[in-house]
Amino acid sequence: MKKSRLPMVLLGVGLAFLYLPIVLLVVYSFNDNRSLTVWTGASLRWYHELIQDGQMLEAAWLSLRIAFATACGAVVLGTLAGLMLARFGAFRGRALFAGMISAPLVMPEVIMGLALLLLFVSAEQLIGWPAGRGVLTIVLAHITFTMSFVAVVIQSRLVSMDVSLEEAAMDLGARPAKVFFVITLPIIAPAIVSGWLLAFTLSLDDLVITSFVSGPGSTTLPMIVFSSIRLGLKPEINALATIVVAVVATGIGLAGFLEARRARIREREESQAGRV
Amino acid sequence: MPVPPPSAAPQPSAVPPSVAPRTLKDRVLRVTRRLGLTGRGGVILGPYAWLVLFFFIPFLIVLKISVAEPAVGIPPFTKLIEWVDGGLDVHIRFSGFQALFDDDLYVLAYLNSLKIAFVSTLCCLFIGYPMAYAIATAPEKRRGPLLMLIILPFWTSFLIRVYAWMSILKDEGLLNNLLLSLGIIHEPLKILYTDLAVYIGITYSYLPFMILPLYATLEKMDHTLLEAAADLGAKPWKAFLTITLPLSLPGIVAGSLLVFIPAVGEFVIPSLLGGSDTLMIGRELWNLFFNSRDWPSASAVAIALLAFLVGPIMIFQHFQGRDQDKGAAR
């Protein structure tokens, strides 16, 4: 059957659509001009202004700390949730649980943000905790919406995993907890790492939910970026974007390299095992 | 011989070590088991309690506050039930909801949100389908890297990607400069701060969410069906319409809902790319909450929005649940 070239051409056009804006941001971050559209010469002027913006740096540091705490919490809860959905069969309240874990994937953020804020305000009125809004409430809110994404990643890995190893361990008398820590956890470790990174990125990037649940003194990086670009274009943001893109590209490149090396080693070991 | 699939997490009763507790771990296990707190139950309790507390209960509170009266103070709403002079005083009002219907602003904002989300979803589908199809039919070795290219922009900041479009679409932006220099237009088009910019922004930001589920269904498809159709003399387009398209329907539905539902409540894109006349309900909710500080009305808007979205969300969960049921069947 002759294969049409059309989809491949459209894929190329689509990828150009996805990447062109990002490439433009990166290129213009080195432009020595405020206008953003006229190229006047290469310079690192905006990077210089960015690192001198104390408010921005402080917010970035806060965002990184929140993202770290969020990712650690979300990866624990999300892994357990993925395990429940993939391995626990039917338990009481499974339908409600499945609904609650997948709803945040699509729930509009304004609704989630408002609902969580009202929860924190009501809880403070009732039991005096959490006292005021700040880093703690942001982390709690972020864990709630990112754990769903982690659960999806973990669950799909568990469903595609070969269960015979777990079964063998259980046949040999290992307790479920031991099976999980000795067999399952090492196998799904790459999925856990990507779940952690996904939660970290989502938390680092969130504006809407954060704005609802943050308090005075807990202004995150997206909040600063949003309020400054709302008033117009700011070239420092291009420099910031370029740094983000560089970090992400390095991370993904590194992950791809490690994955490829792992695959090569596995292939070699398998072929050696085959010879024996 | 068919072997019944063994449960991956057997009941704790299956492992009763009737030896005397020797280590601390054994002792702890015995105590927790006697309390009825099995490992399995303990695992379920954690995420379950978290979601009930931070996801389920908040919605009940939104519902409660949507019928409260706004007040000056912190928090800016009244209590629903109060003991006043030994009697029970109930304050429930539906004026928050009443305003949604009386004020044209909200009705228009709802309708406009649905329209913008619907059209953007269609745009994502038309752009995303050929892309997903091309990746699914590419040589197996190239699928991983291509998929990575689709996911990669998702890892860079959403806010920054929207910002990128501001510099492309503005009056003296790159798109206008390009069109002017090519002589296609003679004066700059006004795109930024219009509805058109919102369509572009939503389509761009949500495209990966459309492609991934589409790819997942197209990749699993049995390609011998297409070969059979070709052998029987079907033209490629006919084979596509009668075989590929219907078989990829679950992916189309899942992808469309992943775009449509969050797009209806989108706030960032209309407020950065849209004009002041771009009415979207997420934006109205934000303004009610942050600018007017009218928490009860904001809650009423949220409840009404949720009522619109409950249907689509349930359909989404139905499709999402099909994967999960594979896990439950174990």
Side-chain angles (χ1 to χ4, degrees), chain B residues 251-267:
Chain B
I252 293 176
V253 175
S256 300
L257 291 172
L258 265 176
V259 176
F260 179 79
I261 301 170
V264 173
E266 183 55 54
F267 162 75

Side-chain angles (χ1 to χ4, degrees), chain B residues 267-310:
Chain B
F267 162 75
V268 175
I269 295 172
S271 51
L272 287 180
L273 299 178
S276 50
D277 57 339
T278 305
L279 288 176
M280 279 193 80
I281 200 65
R283 214 175 163 187
E284 297 311 318
L285 193 159
W286 178 285
N287 289 340
L288 271 175
F289 183 85
F290 286 101
N291 302 347
S292 323
R293 283 190 64 78
D294 185 349
W295 292 16
S297 297
S299 303
V301 169
I303 293 293
L305 178 55
L306 208 55
F308 269 121
L309 295 179
V310 154

Side-chain angles (χ1 to χ4, degrees), chain A residues 257-274:
Chain A
F257 172 74
L258 291 178
E259 182 59 38
R261 208 180 62 169
R262 254 166 44 99
R264 262 206 314 279
I265 292 172
R266 202 164 44 215
E267 220 167 87
R268 199 162 53 219
E269 280 171 355
E270 272 164 15
S271 70
Q272 275 169 358

Side-chain angles (χ1 to χ4, degrees), chain A:
Chain A
M1 194 179 72
K2 206 172 109 252
K3 222 169 105 182
S4 165
R5 279 193 173 280
L6 185 67
M8 265 302 166
V9 173
L10 292 176
L11 176 64
V13 174
L15 285 175
F17 173 62
L18 278 179
Y19 280 91
L20 211 58
I22 299 173
V23 171
L24 285 172
L25 269 189
V26 171
V27 170
Y28 276 89
S29 76
F30 296 105
N31 186 14
D32 182 38
N33 189 297
R34 184 158 275 280
S35 87
L36 281 169
T37 41
V38 186
W39 180 267
T40 50
S43 100
L44 292 175
R45 181 180 159 191
W46 305 118
Y47 291 86
H48 194 68
E49 292 203 5
L50 183 71
I51 55 169
Q52 289 192 324
D53 190 335
Q55 199 194 10
M56 192 90 97
L57 288 183
E58 207 173 293
W61 176 233
L62 179 72
S63 283
L64 285 171
R65 281 181 298 159
I66 289 174
F68 185 83
T70 298
C72 294
V75 97
V76 173
L77 285 166
T79 302
L80 293 179
L83 193 71
M84 285 163 68
L85 291 171
R87 291 283 190 275
F88 277 25
F91 53 87
R92 212 180 310 149
R94 187 192 157 96
L96 175 66
F97 184 76
M100 287 193 300
I101 200 83
S102 64
L105 300 176
V106 288
M107 188 65 72
E109 284 192 293
V110 282
I111 300 183
M112 285 272 290
L114 179 70
L116 282 160
L117 172 78
L118 294 180
L119 170 79
F120 294 137
V121 169
S122 307
E124 191 184 2
Q125 272 183 303
L126 269 177
I127 55 170
W129 185 91
R133 259 84 58 212
V135 175
L136 176 70
T137 49
I138 297 176
V139 170
L140 290 175
H142 282 193
I143 289 178
T144 306
F145 86 92
T146 55
M147 69 182 272
S148 297
F149 290 85
V150 179
V152 169
V153 171
I154 299 293
Q155 189 217 344
S156 66
R157 182 71 191 88
L158 282 171
V159 168
S160 68
M161 186 186 132
D162 183 5
V163 288
S164 58
L165 283 172
E166 291 175 348
E167 287 164 12
M170 257 177 308
D171 288 347
L172 294 172
R175 288 212 185 96
K178 184 152 193 181
V179 174
F180 176 72
F181 284 109
V182 177
I183 308 287
T184 317
L185 204 57
I187 293 179
I188 63 168
I192 291 181
V193 172
S194 25
W196 191 92
L197 287 171
L198 188 59
F200 186 86
T201 319
L202 288 169
S203 164
L204 198 61
D205 196 28
D206 180 73
L207 167 74
V208 177
I209 294 176
T210 315
S211 300
F212 275 97
V213 299
S214 79
S218 56
T219 308
T220 63
L221 187 60
M223 287 164 76
I224 295 220
V225 171
F226 180 71
S227 61
S228 67
I229 62 181
R230 205 178 201 182
L231 305 171
L233 298 170
K234 261 186 97 175
E236 293 94 325
I237 306 294
N238 286 30
L240 181 71
T242 306
I243 294 171
V244 171
V245 170
V247 169
V248 169
T250 314
I252 302 268
L254 201 65
F257 172 74
L258 291 178
E259 182 59 38
R261 208 180 62 169
R262 254 166 44 99
R264 262 206 314 279
I265 292 172
R266 202 164 44 215
E267 220 167 87
R268 199 162 53 219
E269 280 171 355
E270 272 164 15
S271 70
Q272 275 169 358
R275 238 174 283 142
V276 176

Side-chain angles (χ1 to χ4, degrees), chain B residues 17-39:
Chain B
S18 48
V19 236
R22 253 165 296 176
T23 63
L24 180 69
K25 203 179 99 194
D26 280 341
R27 241 172 272 165
V28 170
L29 275 174
R30 269 171 73 101
V31 171
T32 52
R33 208 170 295 139
R34 209 172 299 156
L35 289 171
L37 202 71
T38 61

Side-chain angles (χ1 to χ4, degrees), chain B:
Chain B
M1 196 181 79
V3 183
S7 162
Q11 299 303 317
S13 58
V15 275
S18 48
V19 236
R22 253 165 296 176
T23 63
L24 180 69
K25 203 179 99 194
D26 280 341
R27 241 172 272 165
V28 170
L29 275 174
R30 269 171 73 101
V31 171
T32 52
R33 208 170 295 139
R34 209 172 299 156
L35 289 171
L37 202 71
T38 61
R40 188 180 135 100
V43 167
I44 291 179
L45 192 67
Y48 215 110
W50 185 284
L51 284 177
V52 168
L53 182 60
F54 290 107
F55 191 75
F56 190 72
I57 292 179
F59 285 107
L60 299 182
I61 299 175
V62 175
L63 196 60
K64 185 193 108 180
I65 288 170
S66 69
V67 293
E69 271 172 58
V72 180
I74 301 169
F77 52 84
T78 57
K79 286 185 176 148
L80 290 192
I81 301 166
E82 247 177 331
W83 286 100
V84 181
D85 304 327
L88 205 58
D89 209 3
V90 182
H91 310 268
I92 291 183
R93 43 129 238 171
F94 294 96
S95 51
F97 287 98
Q98 189 66 44
L100 296 184
F101 296 102
D102 291 350
D103 196 336
D104 280 351
L105 180 75
Y106 296 108
V107 179
L108 284 175
Y110 274 113
L111 293 178
N112 208 38
S113 299
L114 291 175
K115 187 184 101 186
I116 288 180
F118 183 76
V119 174
S120 309
T121 305
L122 280 184
C123 292
C124 279
L125 185 60
F126 283 121
I127 299 173
Y129 199 102
M131 294 175 77
Y133 185 84
I135 300 173
T137 52
E140 207 166 337
K141 246 196 166 125
R142 268 202 265 159
R143 284 182 211 163
L146 283 173
L147 212 53
M148 206 66 227
L149 280 177
I150 302 292
I151 301 169
L152 203 59
F154 176 78
W155 287 81
T156 64
S157 167
F158 165 72
L159 207 51
I160 282 171
R161 279 178 291 142
V162 176
Y163 168 75
W165 279 102
M166 290 172 72
S167 59
I168 294 173
L169 298 177
K170 65 178 181 160
D171 289 358
E172 65 279 19
L174 292 156
L175 184 66
N176 271 320
N177 281 357
L178 183 73
L179 292 176
L180 281 171
S181 65
L182 290 176
I184 298 172
I185 53 171
H186 297 290
E187 52 190 75
L189 297 171
K190 174 128 186 78
I191 305 175
L192 185 61
Y193 307 131
T194 66
D195 283 9
L196 178 61
V198 178
Y199 287 119
I200 295 173
I202 294 182
T203 305
Y204 177 76
S205 306
Y206 287 93
L207 188 59
F209 292 104
M210 177 64 87
I211 295 176
L212 294 179
L214 278 176
Y215 167 78
T217 50
L218 285 170
E219 195 247 342
K220 272 183 285 190
M221 218 182 76
D222 185 357
H223 288 280
T224 55
L225 290 174
L226 286 180
E227 283 163 26
D231 289 346
L232 295 172
K235 291 249 160 50
W237 270 105
K238 174 124 186 156
F240 174 80
L241 287 177
T242 49
I243 296 172
T244 312
L245 201 58
L247 280 177
S248 60
L249 204 60
I252 293 176
V253 175
S256 300
L257 291 172
L258 265 176
V259 176
F260 179 79
I261 301 170
V264 173
E266 183 55 54
F267 162 75
V268 175
I269 295 172
S271 51
L272 287 180
L273 299 178
S276 50
D277 57 339
T278 305
L279 288 176
M280 279 193 80
I281 200 65
R283 214 175 163 187
E284 297 311 318
L285 193 159
W286 178 285
N287 289 340
L288 271 175
F289 183 85
F290 286 101
N291 302 347
S292 323
R293 283 190 64 78
D294 185 349
W295 292 16
S297 297
S299 303
V301 169
I303 293 293
L305 178 55
L306 208 55
F308 269 121
L309 295 179
V310 154
I313 289 175
M314 305 253 293
I315 301 171
F316 168 73
Q317 295 193 330
H318 173 76
F319 279 86
Q320 186 81 6
R322 299 211 300 190
D323 287 344
Q324 289 170 353
D325 289 342
K326 267 185 248 153
R330 280 185 201 287

